[in-house]
Amino acid sequence: MSRGIPEPKLTAVDAMIDKLTGAIFVFQIVVVLVLGVAGNVWKDTEARKQWYVLYPNEGPWYELLVIPLRFELLCSIMIPISVKVSLDLVKSLYAKFIDWDNEMIDPETGTPSHATNTAISEDLGQVEYILTDKTGTLTENKMIFRRCCISGHFYGNENGDALKDVGLLNAVASGSPDVIQFLTVMAVCNTVIPIQSKTGAILYKAQSQDEEALVHAAAKLHMVFVNKNANIVEIRFNASVLHYEVLEILEFTSDRKRMSVVVRDCQSGKIILLSKGADEAVLPYAHAGQQTRNFIEAVEQYSQLGLRTLCLAWRELREDEYAEWSLMFKEASSTLVDREWRIAEVCQRLEHDLEVLGVTAIEDRLQDGVPETIETLRKAGINFWMLTGDKQNTAVQIALSCNFISPEPKGQLLSIDGKTVDEVCRSLERVLLTMRITTSEPKDVAFVVDGWALEIALKHYRKAFTELAILSRTAICCRVTPSQKAQLVELLKSCDYRTLAIGDGGNDVRMIQQADIGVGISGREGLQAARAADYSIGKFRFLKRLILVHGRYSYNRTAFLSQYSFYKSLLICFIQIFFSFISGVSGTSLFNSVSLMAYNVFYTSIPVLVSVLDKDLSEQTVMQHPQILFYCQAGRLLNPSTFAGWFGRSLFHAIVVFVISIHVYAYEKSEMEEVSMVALSGCIWLQAFVVALETK
């Protein structure tokens, strides 16, 4: 299963606020203990001498706790309970700003951006690593059949479109057995549902865009998938109609990397296995007498062009062979323990001794704005890793075209490969040594690793691979499974990096859930990723605005609001403490409860609304100068140093307000209520001045 159990996410800002709250709590306890002891000492030494105090000579056993508990009540407002409520309120508004952003609406589909998680907007401004899927995320996921190789013959190489290749059209017209069998696999080996429209045209609904492209291409070559009634598939080829009974479907999984169907030819009664999948999942299972060199060359040639390749194969089954296998398959499908592993093992018993028919090459174009988005976010100090299930050459070509890595000779792509533990070890050590001594730009040196080598590295050389992850700013991971994607995200998180994972399909869900921030693209593969993600967008290029504008503004506003909340509480609390020094350290409150409530709830609530709309720089400036994001990633607006500044500011302002208030009424016959109102007014005006000074 690609879906895991999502973990609760804690932002870096929330983690820092928790640490600062703990520090203030310790400070509060120290203050309470010191003032409590001082109050009891003054009471026993001085207070009993004063006739107006009227302390009894002997008190109850708990008398020593009275003054400390008074100071505990006075200092309880040091930690503002309202900070969590205020932050939750403004974070929900940040999420609404993302929902309401008209510049992040996909013009093609009208899909708006959406924030599912309203609690982590500020983390967008602190992203350090982006781990991205390729198909449907960087590319459009609009598959177009371009070339193919059938029985060693290449079609589409001259004009770039196999559907217009004269040689292929002539082979179809002449009824070439190899070509007909190849087209049959394209039309039958799938889970596509044909739908007849009112105009008579046939529309295809498919979970996989590759399958849809293959079925469309077969239809244009006269092998038309007409109808599917229960388990009977109807195929029209020229003037004849062919029927196949689907006996079993061996579904595609990220581990097997292929899918097959077992069908019975209703005309001849033969049982046939039709398979398609990645080259490493099909070519090694060809029957002993077949030469696969031409197919390997075709796969390499097509992948060098950035095309997605699939190998097609078939095998005729004996009746007794199928009957025996069918029983095992049904038993594996009904088991409750290790079902997926059991099914894969049973499928392996059938998918062997295949006759490879050919290779298909499908084009998946790059989305608009992808190179510019990656370049801009790199300037903002964000590093990129591409995690894909495609072949290495295909992924590298897409990486070159979208400015993910630099072309040679400027760029250097280091490969981690090998099939054994020793081979992977040597390759990893070589790449690690190069990374240690390189002085190139982040995108000028990158490493590429396939799923097999990655599995060995994570299992046997995790420490070395972790060091490589820290040193590397760019990586391409090919032929990786959904679980491996999630493991890589977890690896970077273990290095204390803030990670963002973006994808569009169900196989990206675990990666999206594992990352600090998950972004799903509402693409052609459905809404699985978008629904599981914290944020959903229509196109990859909107990620730039999501991070630079919404992420940065959210971080700035949250950093100010959280520290301001502590400032206003510490300000009033310090005045209470200073007042205790002229009131016999008795724990008497200068302010009444109504004034304190009004101060926290009413008088200081306006800045919360002001901070939500605060923009220190215009959106255009931020987009044109992405380097501004550096200080957000470093957490320079909210850390112990900045908090110490706010702490010192509250202490200084409290001294000013208290000294002025007391000295103004020092020689006047006035009630304490007057003094408290003057001090409270001073606090209100001061915090208003601070808000005006800190926001724009």
Side-chain angles (χ1 to χ4, degrees):
M1 296 291 289
S2 61
R3 180 183 290 271
I5 300 174
E7 298 178 358
K9 297 183 178 181
L10 181 70
T11 67
V13 170
D14 286 337
M16 180 57 66
I17 291 174
D18 290 344
K19 292 178 182 178
L20 297 176
T21 302
I24 291 296
F25 177 73
V26 173
F27 175 73
Q28 175 185 326
I29 296 299
V30 171
V31 169
V32 168
L33 291 176
V34 171
L35 293 180
V37 171
N40 282 319
V41 170
W42 188 88
K43 181 182 72 173
D44 291 336
T45 57
E46 298 294 332
R48 298 187 191 279
K49 299 177 183 179
Q50 307 298 329
W51 63 269
Y52 55 84
V53 176
L54 299 178
Y55 272 121
N57 292 327
E58 292 185 6
W61 63 268
Y62 55 83
E63 186 178 9
L64 290 176
L65 299 177
V66 172
I67 292 179
L69 289 175
R70 286 179 184 173
F71 279 110
E72 175 59 31
L73 290 175
L74 286 180
C75 296
S76 62
I77 61 172
M78 262 191 194
I79 300 175
I81 304 300
S82 62
V83 66
K84 289 294 184 181
V85 178
S86 300
L87 289 178
D88 288 343
L89 173 64
V90 298
K91 285 180 180 182
S92 63
L93 290 175
Y94 300 157
K96 285 300 178 184
F97 291 158
I98 295 174
D99 294 348
W100 296 335
D101 193 340
N102 291 329
E103 295 188 34
M104 293 176 63
I105 297 177
D106 185 3
E108 294 182 12
T109 62
T111 304
S113 57
H114 178 62
T116 305
N117 192 335
T118 61
I120 61 172
S121 297
E122 64 271 20
D123 251 9
L124 287 168
Q126 296 190 282
V127 171
E128 297 169 285
Y129 274 84
I130 292 179
L131 299 97
T132 174
D133 179 40
K134 182 185 76 68
T135 305
T137 304
L138 300 177
T139 60
E140 293 181 346
N141 205 15
K142 295 179 180 178
M143 308 299 182
I144 303 174
F145 185 85
R146 288 299 186 191
R147 307 186 186 202
C148 63
C149 173
I150 306 174
S151 300
H153 298 285
F154 289 81
Y155 300 104
N157 281 6
E158 294 182 1
N159 57 7
D161 188 355
L163 300 179
K164 298 179 181 179
D165 191 294
V166 177
L168 181 57
L169 295 175
N170 290 337
V172 173
S174 62
S176 169
D178 291 338
V179 174
I180 301 304
Q181 191 65 48
F182 183 83
L183 295 179
T184 301
V185 177
M186 287 175 59
V188 178
C189 185
N190 54 66
T191 56
V192 176
I193 304 297
I195 299 176
Q196 195 96 16
S197 66
K198 294 180 179 179
T199 60
I202 300 175
L203 305 177
Y204 297 109
K205 297 293 182 181
Q207 293 181 337
S208 168
Q209 302 303 315
D210 295 271
E211 288 189 343
E212 185 177 346
L214 292 178
V215 173
H216 272 294
K220 290 184 178 180
L221 293 172
H222 309 294
M223 186 71 69
V224 185
F225 183 8
V226 178
N227 188 27
K228 185 174 184 179
N229 186 8
N231 290 332
I232 303 300
V233 173
E234 182 180 335
I235 304 293
R236 186 174 65 243
F237 179 64
N238 291 332
S240 59
V241 177
L242 309 174
H243 291 91
Y244 295 92
E245 180 187 359
V246 178
L247 302 177
E248 301 288 354
I249 297 179
L250 285 60
E251 295 182 353
F252 174 89
T253 66
S254 55
D255 294 322
R256 294 176 58 242
K257 297 180 181 178
R258 63 178 176 269
M259 74 90 61
S260 303
V261 294
V262 180
V263 298
R264 185 188 299 274
D265 188 339
C266 295
Q267 288 71 235
S268 62
K270 295 180 179 178
I271 299 177
I272 306 170
L273 172 73
L274 307 178
S275 298
K276 72 171 186 292
D279 55 295
E280 72 266 26
V282 174
L283 296 182
Y285 300 100
H287 64 79
Q290 185 175 18
Q291 295 292 329
T292 59
R293 185 178 61 184
N294 288 336
F295 301 123
I296 295 174
E297 292 177 356
V299 169
E300 291 298 323
Q301 177 183 327
Y302 294 152
S303 59
Q304 288 287 348
L305 298 173
L307 302 176
R308 296 165 59 86
T309 59
L310 284 173
C311 293
L312 275 55
W314 79 296
R315 180 165 80 91
E316 186 176 338
L317 305 177
R318 302 188 311 274
E319 286 283 352
D320 59 338
E321 179 185 9
Y322 168 71
E324 181 183 355
W325 176 87
S326 180
L327 292 175
M328 292 189 293
F329 184 72
K330 290 177 181 178
E331 181 183 352
S333 300
S334 61
T335 187
L336 298 178
V337 181
D338 296 330
R339 179 184 299 173
E340 292 185 13
W341 181 82
R342 291 281 302 277
I343 290 176
E345 183 185 23
V346 172
C347 291
Q348 188 70 44
R349 298 188 180 187
L350 198 67
E351 296 170 322
H352 61 85
D353 293 332
L354 302 174
E355 181 181 344
V356 181
L357 298 171
V359 180
T360 64
I362 298 173
E363 180 185 36
D364 188 10
R365 295 177 180 175
L366 208 63
Q367 288 184 21
D368 294 335
V370 169
E372 295 81 2
T373 299
I374 292 177
E375 182 66 25
T376 301
L377 293 178
R378 279 195 189 281
K379 291 179 181 178
I382 298 175
N383 309 306
F384 280 86
W385 282 31
M386 180 193 293
L387 315 180
T388 177
D390 281 347
K391 279 186 64 63
Q392 177 174 320
N393 288 336
T394 303
V396 169
Q397 291 304 314
I398 294 296
L400 287 169
S401 63
C402 70
N403 210 19
F404 197 87
I405 56 176
S406 299
E408 295 180 346
K410 184 181 179 181
Q412 186 178 9
L413 190 62
L414 308 173
S415 179
I416 301 175
D417 49 24
K419 297 297 182 183
T420 65
V421 174
D422 291 338
E423 290 175 353
V424 173
C425 178
R426 289 193 296 268
S427 180
L428 181 59
E429 288 177 349
R430 184 186 69 252
V431 172
L432 194 54
L433 179 62
T434 305
M435 284 291 185
R436 286 170 181 163
I437 63 177
T438 186
T439 57
S440 302
E441 291 293 322
K443 73 170 184 176
D444 292 340
V445 57
F447 75 87
V448 58
V449 60
D450 62 20
W452 184 265
L454 178 63
E455 187 73 23
I456 295 174
L458 291 176
K459 184 177 181 180
H460 298 282
Y461 306 104
R462 190 177 185 87
K463 185 176 180 181
F465 192 81
T466 301
E467 182 184 355
L468 178 61
I470 296 173
L471 294 174
S472 176
R473 296 292 182 263
T474 305
I476 302 173
C477 304
C478 312
R479 294 298 195 200
V480 291
T481 63
S483 61
Q484 287 177 326
K485 291 182 179 182
Q487 288 176 25
L488 289 172
V489 173
E490 185 181 4
L491 182 74
L492 290 173
K493 286 176 65 178
S494 68
C495 301
D496 292 330
Y497 290 122
R498 306 306 292 182
T499 58
L500 182 150
I502 180 170
D504 73 311
N507 60 339
D508 301 317
V509 169
R510 289 187 64 181
M511 171 181 73
I512 287 171
Q513 292 178 336
Q514 186 68 39
D516 294 305
I517 303 170
V519 179
I521 292 183
S522 303
R524 296 169 65 86
E525 286 194 20
L527 299 175
Q528 278 183 292
R531 287 171 177 165
D534 303 305
Y535 301 92
S536 63
I537 55 179
K539 289 287 188 292
F540 183 84
R541 66 177 182 271
F542 298 139
L543 190 63
K544 177 170 64 175
R545 183 172 176 83
L546 184 67
I547 292 175
L548 295 181
V549 175
H550 294 286
R552 182 181 172 278
Y553 283 157
S554 297
Y555 172 76
N556 287 5
R557 295 162 178 169
T558 304
F560 164 75
L561 182 59
S562 56
Q563 294 177 113
Y564 164 78
S565 297
F566 280 99
Y567 158 78
K568 68 183 181 67
S569 295
L570 287 168
L571 174 61
I572 208 80
C573 191
F574 280 137
I575 293 176
Q576 296 271 54
I577 293 172
F578 295 151
F579 180 71
S580 69
F581 293 129
I582 64 172
S583 61
V585 201
S586 60
T588 303
S589 176
L590 176 62
F591 307 104
N592 60 51
S593 58
V594 175
S595 298
L596 291 175
M597 182 184 67
Y599 176 78
N600 280 311
V601 175
F602 179 70
Y603 295 125
T604 57
S605 61
I606 301 300
V608 175
L609 301 178
V610 172
S611 66
V612 173
L613 303 175
D614 179 37
K615 291 185 178 181
D616 59 332
L617 297 171
S618 67
E619 296 178 2
Q620 292 76 13
T621 302
V622 174
M623 297 287 276
Q624 292 171 3
H625 302 89
Q627 298 88 345
I628 297 172
L629 198 68
F630 286 163
Y631 72 85
C632 296
Q633 295 168 330
R636 294 181 184 174
L637 292 185
L638 178 60
N639 54 56
S641 299
T642 60
F643 186 78
W646 282 90
F647 186 90
R649 175 185 284 181
S650 65
L651 180 60
F652 173 71
H653 288 176
I655 293 173
V656 171
V657 171
F658 180 75
V659 169
I660 292 176
S661 301
I662 294 300
H663 279 276
V664 164
Y665 288 93
Y667 304 102
E668 299 288 336
K669 294 180 180 180
S670 58
E671 297 289 338
M672 191 172 72
E673 194 70 23
E674 283 187 63
V675 180
S676 69
M677 285 297 102
V678 170
L680 185 66
S681 299
C683 293
I684 294 170
W685 281 106
L686 262 177
Q687 61 86 22
F689 174 75
V690 168
V691 171
L693 187 67
E694 294 290 337
T695 59
K696 293 181 177 61

